[in-house]
Amino acid sequence: MFRTALRNVLAYKARLLMTALAVVLGVAFLSGSLVFGDSLGQAAAAKATDGYTRIAVSVSPDAPPGGEARQAGIDARTATALAGVPGVAVAAGRVDGFAAVADRDGGLIGHGSSHQGGNFAPGADGTDPAYRFVKGTGPARDGAVALDENTARQGGYRIGDSVRVATGKGAATYTLSGMFRTDGTRLPSGGSLVLFTGSTAQQLFLAPGTFRSIELTAAPGTTPQQLLERVQAQLPKGTSAVTGARLAQIQRNLATNDSDTMSQILLGFSAVALFVAAFLISNTFSMLVGRRTRELALMRAVGASRRQVRSILLAESVLIGAGASAVGIAVGTGVAALLRAFLASADSPSGPLVVSPVTVIGSLLAGTVLTVVAAWLPVRRAMAIPPVAALGTAEPATPARAGSLRTGLGAALALTGTAAVLYGALAGGKDARTVIGCGAVLALTGAIVLIPLLSRPFVALLQPLLARLRPVHGTLAARNTVRDPRRTGATAAALAIALTLASGLSVLGASTARYLDRATTHDFTAGYLVKAAADGMELAPGTAADLAKKLPGSAVSPLDQSTRYRLGGTESVLTGVDPAAIGRLLRYDVVAGSLDSLAKGQIAVADFKAKEAGWRLGQTLPLQRPDGRHGSVTIGAVYRADPQSHLMPSITAPDSLVARYDRAPVTAAILVAPDGGPGQAARRSVVHALGDNPALAVLDREGVKAEYSGDIGGQLNVFYALLGMALVIAALGIANTLAMSVLERRKELGTLRALGLDRAGVTRMVRLEALIVGALGATAGTVLGIFLGWALGRTLQESVAGYALVLPWGRLALGILIALAGALLASLWPARRAARVDIPAATSAQ
């Protein structure tokens, strides 16, 4: 039986090519996702733990209670005492903080989230083991700095050049003394690192004579655990020690989180691609079994049992699945390299591709099992054909009937799924999205089952248009399409799945983007917003006041966020603003009271906050702080605000009130309305007034929109690219169906040619068939995707005020056009083959 199956696979290799290619693509996506995830995770872990092997023990201050930022460090006396612990070879005091480097044009260097500054801590030999200098030396005087090699190259700097560096205490110019390389513990990918002298780093980031941590290197013969026990016995109160191995394990766990998330997303799209491939496989085996009815019946007639014939056909599917899966794994390794190039962010660490045994075995099993499962129904259907009947006639088409069990099952699934989706969307609740997800699976499954039944009315709607455009070719194409509704439906279903996901994402993405745009910029009336250009930096206290002095006539207000208040027993966050300027900078839609009350020392509260806490206009609230400060405030205004807005505060207070209770509020941003309005000159004046600080971004209205709305369009494009694999497989299904159909209709095509239909006419007929199938799948998928996008959007309306459905007609139309174009491209080879049918041979065929 195995030899027979092998001969059959070789005999029908051309017809099975598309099936094998679908398995190759699906398995390539799956194995590529696994290889990509493993490679990214291992590279991230290696980068995050690089350098910890040289640290035996690290000593650092304990975090203060209450979640406050840690400011205290380890004093020099403690550092000296730790250096004298038996078994300590080197005790290096480390200081770190935020530091950003400007290029020669004043722009910020580095696209990552890490812009770090540190201290150069040379030992007795004048070197620091944490850094390897490739040019120059470490900073030896306070006016010098050293840069990591990549940052220096991006800025075009050479030894002796002046470099502008910004820290939390402003920007200053330094002389470049050297360029170095270091490990990932100090310089994450995409970031920048500046080394100062020890005294300069302490003044910028901590306080003179203090360190953020002490790194201890063990002397020969001393293990890290032994050194840890000795150090813990001498640690002062408020400090703790941990081994470098433990720190490495913590960093490894943190580093692999992002790669795990990306891997899960890719595996989800791989499952979609494999699911779509199952339709192509099942369709191909159905057509092959139909073409081989006489052959299979002859095997039965000469003594083969049903079990033997079934085993032969299943063995063929195993051979195809295993062989295509093996090729897919090889292709998947290349796919992983492409995924890492296109999907990995610029901050992602680099490393070798990791092909694990789990990936190889799992991908091989997935592709093989998928092929066997997809071929099972066609094989089982073939076993039901009596040998005598099969020898006498070819297998007839089996159109879907309205009263068939298949139709009833499909209708039940579709109605149940639709009802579940509607219930989840309209009733809401915490489990609404789970209900919608389950309903979507049922509705999509039902739609797939019902597509053969829908093909006839759909083609009937298109037939008048086809007859008007191409009377002969359009009519023939319409009739050929509905000749076997199940085959047409299975082919269109693969396309429908991809379009359902794509159109649903488009609806959700467009609706979310519109909402975020409005929530972000609707209340913004200032000319510019000043914020930190890099993560990890806070605006220095007094920046807004200095800016107001340097820009006379302009309206300037900080957004000073102050946390850990209890107002009337409710945990609250106050945002301090300049009462005299805020009215020109943010659009307050006051529904009760007046914003002028801010000048009287009262507060203004957003309507959602007032409703949540049960506050009302004119109410006096007791105020308490954890440090014991207390007082009272009065609500002088209530205004409408979106809870998701990044700019409009939930509680607006005069900055003088915030300063009374909080010595160091966080200045989240500064709003500026220049005298004379925004413009290039006005923006330059703001940048200059800020000290040409590369770490401060000056954003206009479009910049604010881009900053806070998020790159939804870019994220959707990534998902569309991933769904492109499913579209490619669906197009292969169309090509395969048409190619097999041409083989079945050789006599018919020859007759049409003999009756006067030229080659161009045959080509048009086959292409129109492909367009009809593509239109059926694209229409069904788009309608279902819009429905699911609306339903999921409804669940957001409960928690996101102002969210509304937006139908991106352009993107939806583009998706349909891409599907039709793919169907047309898929028809090129079958149409060319149909046009070249030999008329005498075809008309004489039995």
Side-chain angles (χ1 to χ4, degrees):
M1 288 186 293
F2 180 79
R3 288 196 300 269
T4 303
L6 182 59
R7 284 197 297 267
N8 288 335
V9 169
L10 296 177
Y12 294 101
K13 55 181 178 294
R15 302 179 189 181
L16 292 170
L17 178 61
M18 293 297 183
T19 298
L21 187 56
V23 177
V24 168
L25 290 176
V27 172
F29 203 166
L30 173 62
S31 60
S33 300
L34 294 173
V35 171
F36 171 79
D38 292 342
S39 302
L40 188 61
Q42 180 169 304
K47 182 74 173 178
T49 58
D50 181 26
Y52 280 109
T53 54
R54 60 177 175 77
I55 301 174
V57 175
S58 177
V59 180
S60 59
D62 296 330
E68 295 181 351
R70 181 173 63 193
Q71 297 295 333
I74 299 177
D75 57 37
R77 184 174 57 183
T78 301
T80 302
L82 290 174
V85 172
V88 173
V90 177
R94 299 298 179 189
V95 182
D96 59 75
F98 173 84
V101 184
D103 58 22
R104 294 185 180 275
D105 297 325
L108 182 66
I109 297 178
H111 44 69
S113 60
S114 177
H115 298 267
Q116 294 292 319
N119 65 311
F120 178 64
D125 58 354
T127 63
D128 188 332
Y131 308 104
R132 303 177 297 279
F133 279 83
V134 294
K135 291 183 181 179
T137 61
R141 56 184 180 84
D142 289 344
V145 294
L147 298 178
D148 68 273
E149 184 181 27
N150 187 54
T151 300
R153 182 173 60 253
Q154 291 184 53
Y157 290 120
R158 294 177 293 183
I159 303 298
D161 286 350
S162 296
V163 180
R164 194 158 182 81
V165 180
T167 64
K169 295 188 177 181
T173 302
Y174 300 85
T175 301
L176 183 62
S177 67
M179 306 173 192
F180 60 87
R181 295 175 182 172
T182 187
D183 51 59
T185 62
R186 305 187 183 279
L187 181 60
S189 299
S192 62
L193 178 58
V194 187
L195 291 183
F196 303 89
T197 61
S199 59
T200 301
Q202 289 173 341
Q203 291 174 358
L204 291 173
F205 305 131
L206 283 174
T210 58
F211 299 95
R212 185 81 69 189
S213 63
I214 308 296
E215 295 177 354
L216 305 178
T217 302
T222 302
T223 66
Q225 189 60 38
Q226 291 173 339
L227 187 59
L228 176 64
E229 294 172 357
R230 296 171 188 173
V231 167
Q232 286 177 331
Q234 300 189 26
L235 283 179
K237 184 178 180 180
T239 59
S240 58
V242 65
T243 63
R246 176 56 182 162
L247 287 175
Q249 182 61 46
I250 295 172
Q251 293 299 320
R252 180 182 291 106
N253 294 337
L254 293 174
T256 55
N257 286 339
D258 291 340
S259 61
D260 289 344
T261 301
M262 177 60 74
S263 298
Q264 291 171 6
I265 293 174
L266 291 174
L267 287 176
F269 282 97
S270 300
V272 173
L274 289 170
F275 186 53
V276 172
F279 285 91
L280 191 157
I281 297 167
S282 181
N283 219 17
T284 302
F285 270 87
S286 294
M287 292 183 288
L288 279 176
V289 168
R291 290 284 298 172
R292 296 166 58 188
T293 301
R294 292 177 180 272
E295 172 192 331
L296 297 175
L298 181 60
M299 294 178 64
R300 292 288 310 281
V302 298
S305 65
R306 287 187 176 185
R307 180 178 180 181
Q308 288 176 316
V309 174
R310 182 172 60 245
S311 299
I312 291 172
L313 294 175
L314 291 178
E316 292 177 20
S317 67
V318 171
L319 289 172
I320 296 169
S325 298
V327 176
I329 293 171
V331 175
T333 305
V335 171
L338 293 176
L339 287 173
R340 190 165 56 174
F342 289 104
L343 298 184
S345 66
D347 306 336
S348 299
S350 58
L353 290 177
V354 178
V355 184
S356 68
V358 174
T359 296
V360 175
I361 297 174
S363 300
L364 190 63
L365 287 176
T368 305
V369 171
L370 173 73
T371 307
V372 173
V373 171
W376 173 256
L377 286 178
V379 171
R380 184 180 178 186
R381 194 158 51 240
M383 296 301 96
I385 302 174
V388 175
L391 285 171
T393 60
E395 183 186 29
T398 55
R401 298 184 301 276
S404 66
L405 178 63
R406 174 192 178 98
T407 303
L409 178 61
L413 289 173
L415 290 175
T416 303
T418 302
V421 172
L422 288 173
Y423 175 79
L426 299 177
K430 62 179 183 179
D431 297 326
R433 293 175 192 173
T434 302
V435 172
I436 291 175
C438 295
V441 173
L442 293 176
L444 183 58
T445 304
I448 292 171
V449 175
L450 289 177
I451 279 182
L453 184 68
L454 298 175
S455 61
R456 289 187 182 277
F458 183 81
V459 173
L461 288 175
L462 291 182
Q463 193 162 358
L465 176 62
L466 295 173
R468 179 173 298 181
L469 294 176
R470 296 285 180 180
V472 176
H473 314 115
T475 302
L476 289 173
R479 292 179 178 177
N480 290 332
T481 303
V482 297
R483 176 179 296 181
D484 189 342
R486 285 186 178 175
R487 180 186 301 179
T488 300
T491 306
L495 199 58
I497 295 170
L499 264 295
T500 296
L501 295 175
S503 55
L505 286 173
S506 296
V507 171
L508 278 176
S511 302
T512 305
R514 177 75 61 84
Y515 160 73
L516 289 177
D517 182 16
R518 186 182 184 280
T520 299
T521 60
H522 176 265
D523 303 321
F524 181 72
T525 58
Y528 300 103
L529 181 139
V530 179
K531 66 177 295 293
D535 297 339
M537 176 189 174
E538 297 177 359
L539 299 181
T543 303
D546 294 340
L547 193 60
K549 292 178 182 178
K550 296 177 181 178
L551 299 173
S554 300
V556 179
S557 174
L559 295 178
D560 288 335
Q561 288 189 346
S562 183
T563 61
R564 306 180 69 206
Y565 289 85
R566 288 192 66 84
L567 293 182
T570 302
E571 296 290 339
S572 302
V573 176
L574 270 60
T575 300
V577 301
D578 183 350
I582 194 62
R584 292 176 53 189
L585 303 171
L586 288 178
R587 181 184 289 109
Y588 280 83
D589 185 6
V590 179
V591 296
S594 172
L595 203 63
D596 295 336
S597 61
L598 292 175
K600 302 174 184 178
Q602 299 178 351
I603 63 174
V605 180
D607 54 354
F608 68 86
K609 180 67 175 179
K611 181 179 180 181
E612 174 187 301
W615 298 338
R616 64 183 184 278
L617 181 69
Q619 182 177 359
T620 299
L621 305 172
L623 179 153
Q624 292 180 334
R625 292 274 289 169
D627 58 6
R629 302 184 195 186
H630 60 88
S632 62
V633 293
T634 301
I635 300 176
V638 178
Y639 54 90
R640 291 191 181 93
D642 193 316
Q644 307 299 321
S645 175
H646 291 276
L647 296 180
M648 186 61 71
S650 60
I651 301 178
T652 305
D655 49 7
S656 58
L657 176 66
V658 170
R660 188 186 313 162
Y661 294 100
D662 192 346
R663 296 188 182 93
V666 176
T667 303
I670 300 172
L671 299 171
V672 183
D675 186 21
Q680 288 296 327
R683 186 181 185 282
R684 284 195 297 269
S685 65
V686 174
V687 172
H688 184 67
L690 291 169
D692 295 316
N693 191 327
L696 297 180
V698 180
L699 308 176
D700 58 9
R701 188 178 186 85
E702 289 301 315
V704 170
K705 175 181 175 181
E707 176 72 18
Y708 292 117
S709 294
D711 187 18
I712 293 180
Q715 296 172 9
L716 286 178
N717 289 335
V718 172
F719 291 145
Y720 293 149
L722 295 175
L723 288 173
M725 182 68 74
L727 285 173
V728 170
I729 296 175
L732 289 175
I734 295 175
N736 206 26
T737 299
L738 291 176
M740 299 292 285
S741 178
V742 167
L743 288 175
E744 294 175 355
R745 293 154 47 195
R746 289 183 68 249
K747 184 176 181 67
E748 173 189 324
L749 292 172
T751 303
L752 289 174
R753 290 292 313 282
L755 292 175
L757 190 65
D758 59 7
R759 287 187 174 183
V762 174
T763 299
R764 292 191 193 99
M765 180 184 69
V766 176
R767 289 177 180 174
L768 285 174
E769 291 180 37
L771 287 175
I772 292 172
V773 174
L776 175 60
T779 302
T782 301
V783 171
L784 191 55
I786 293 175
F787 174 61
L788 296 178
W790 164 81
L792 288 173
R794 285 276 305 181
T795 64
L796 296 176
Q797 291 179 344
E798 296 181 0
S799 57
V800 181
Y803 179 93
L805 177 68
V806 175
L807 294 180
W809 297 111
R811 282 186 178 269
L812 295 175
L814 180 61
I816 294 175
L817 288 176
I818 291 175
L820 294 178
L824 189 61
L825 288 174
S827 69
L828 294 180
W829 178 65
R832 184 171 180 267
R833 187 168 185 175
R836 296 196 172 195
V837 167
D838 183 76
I839 297 175
T843 53
S844 63
Q846 297 297 319

